[in-house]
């Protein structure tokens, strides 16, 4: 899809689709996460390409919840724009493909991430991933097949690889590498995300990323203030917690420091 000057999505032509599938853009992003379920805070920043891959722009986004209220805010052209949600369940911090693998590693089975092994069944096969014997779990639904490779003996059943197939073809793959921490057990050190698109009888790699964990600390105390929303003066806010007397969502501009 592409956007026209009226910000409406319009389909790509066949020629545009082929061109975009063959183009390659490289960029890097940094992440900072605080995880203390049900509290989360994630900042995501760097220079990103626009949808038409024509230019790079500065991107800085934060998602946070203290377990009671969730907020999503980002910087665009030197102005902060924010949405405050009434219920944390309305906005999940792991909606990004890059971070969703953490639901299978750091937060496997955590009810706050809505990630479970419901519907997955073990298969009659053992497969080696990174030289480690893994049990294969599989789930089939209307949109395709999901597979998880878990390491029950070596790594306490953490997920070593995840694969999503549509119409029998690869759509997503995630692969992890871990370090075995004596106190915390396996902790992810790197992971890879790959996304594919099947077009005109050819499978295209449309997105790939490799993540390296610079530092990770576990079993530490995080003050709850770290998960509170912090908006600068001038921020444009859509507050879904409060009704607007005129109807619709309540919009306002922050006049002074607000939490």
């Amino acid at each position: 899809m592409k956007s026209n000057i009226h910000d409406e999505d319009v389909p790509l032509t066949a020629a545009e689709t082929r061109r975009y599938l063959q183009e390659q853009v490289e960029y890097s992003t940094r992440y900072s996460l605080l995880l203390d379920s049900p509290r989360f805070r994630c900042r995501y920043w760097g220079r990103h390409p626009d949808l038409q891959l024509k230019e790079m722009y500065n991107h800085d986004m934060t998602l946070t919840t203290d377990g009671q209220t969730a907020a999503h805010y980002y910087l665009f052209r030197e102005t902060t724009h924010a949405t405050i949600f009434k219920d944390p369940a309305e906005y999940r911090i792991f909606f990004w493909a890059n971070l969703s693998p953490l639901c299978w590693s750091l937060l496997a089975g955590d009810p706050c991430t809505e990630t479970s092994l419901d519907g997955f069944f073990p298969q009659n096969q053992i497969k080696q991933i990174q030289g480690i014997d893994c049990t294969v779990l599989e789930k089939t639904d209307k949109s395709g097949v999901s597979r998880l490779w878990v390491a029950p003996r070596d790594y306490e059943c953490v997920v070593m690889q995840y694969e999503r197939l549509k119409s029998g073809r690869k759509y997503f793959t995630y692969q992890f590498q871990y370090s075995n921490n004596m106190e915390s057990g396996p902790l992810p050190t790197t992971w890879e995300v790959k996304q594919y698109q099947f077009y005109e009888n050819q499978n295209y790699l449309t997105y790939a990323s490799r993540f390296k964990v610079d530092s990770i600390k576990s079993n530490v105390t995080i003050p709850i203030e770290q998960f509170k929303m912090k908006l600068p003066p001038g921020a444009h806010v859509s507050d879904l917690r409060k009704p607007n007397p005129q109807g619709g969502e309540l919009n306002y501009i922050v006049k002074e420091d607000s939490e």
Side-chain angles (χ1 to χ4, degrees):
M1 304 292 284
K2 62 179 179 179
S3 297
N4 61 20
I5 58 174
H6 301 296
D7 199 29
E8 295 176 352
D9 289 335
V10 295
L12 294 172
T13 65
E16 289 173 327
T17 299
R18 284 193 294 270
R19 178 170 66 83
Y20 283 126
L21 288 173
Q22 292 169 355
E23 286 193 14
Q24 178 175 315
V25 176
E26 294 185 7
Y27 60 97
S28 61
T29 301
R30 297 187 67 85
Y31 293 84
S32 173
L33 277 81
L34 298 176
L35 306 176
D36 185 14
S37 182
R39 295 179 287 272
F40 300 92
R41 185 181 185 89
C42 175
R43 183 183 170 214
Y44 159 56
W45 73 100
R47 287 185 62 77
H48 287 198
D50 64 12
L51 291 177
Q52 277 70 49
L53 309 181
K54 293 180 180 179
E55 61 180 350
M56 305 290 286
Y57 67 97
N58 290 325
H59 183 83
D60 196 335
M61 180 182 293
T62 299
L63 298 96
T64 188
T65 176
D66 59 5
Q68 298 178 348
T69 301
H72 163 207
Y73 46 101
Y74 62 94
L75 186 66
F76 181 69
R77 293 180 179 175
E78 309 306 321
T79 299
T80 298
H81 300 263
T83 301
I84 305 174
F85 297 88
K86 185 177 181 179
D87 182 351
E90 295 180 46
Y91 204 86
R92 293 295 172 185
I93 203 164
F94 290 111
F95 80 101
W96 293 318
N98 290 333
L99 295 184
S100 58
L102 294 178
C103 293
W104 300 115
S105 55
L106 281 178
L107 296 167
D110 190 306
C112 296
T113 64
E114 294 185 341
T115 302
S116 73
L117 295 180
D118 290 347
F120 281 92
F121 296 95
Q123 306 300 299
N124 273 329
Q125 55 180 306
I126 298 294
K127 180 178 178 180
Q128 282 205 339
I129 303 292
Q130 303 166 33
I132 297 174
D133 287 342
C134 292
T135 299
V136 183
L137 305 177
E138 187 171 296
K139 178 175 73 172
T140 302
D141 53 34
K142 293 181 180 179
S143 58
V145 177
S146 297
R147 294 194 184 106
L148 294 169
W149 286 261
V150 299
R153 293 182 180 178
D154 299 83
Y155 278 166
E156 302 179 8
C157 281
V158 297
V159 173
M160 301 293 293
Q161 184 170 306
Y162 168 69
E163 181 178 82
R164 179 72 178 165
L165 294 92
K166 289 186 177 181
S167 303
R169 302 183 184 278
K170 285 185 180 180
Y171 181 61
F172 271 112
T173 63
Y174 307 141
Q175 191 168 88
F176 304 95
Q177 291 185 337
Y178 296 87
S179 64
N180 219 346
N181 185 284
M182 293 296 292
E183 295 182 357
S184 306
L187 296 175
T189 56
T190 64
W191 65 89
E192 294 182 351
V193 179
K194 294 181 180 179
Q195 181 178 353
Y196 301 86
Q197 179 177 335
F198 189 71
Y199 185 74
E200 294 184 339
N201 295 318
Q202 186 173 347
N203 218 27
Y204 290 89
L205 176 64
T206 55
Y207 179 80
S209 63
R210 179 175 175 82
F211 279 74
K212 177 179 179 295
V213 178
D214 295 324
S215 64
I216 185 169
K217 295 181 181 179
S218 59
N219 298 326
V220 298
T221 301
I222 306 174
I224 193 171
E225 289 75 19
Q226 294 287 323
F227 302 100
K228 295 294 185 180
M229 176 180 53
K230 299 176 182 178
L231 296 175
H236 292 231
V237 180
S238 294
D239 195 335
L240 306 183
R241 299 172 301 175
K242 304 174 183 178
N244 187 342
Q246 284 73 42
E249 61 190 29
L250 180 63
N251 298 308
Y252 57 88
I253 298 176
V254 176
K255 298 300 182 181
E256 58 184 54
D257 290 342
S258 176
E259 294 187 357

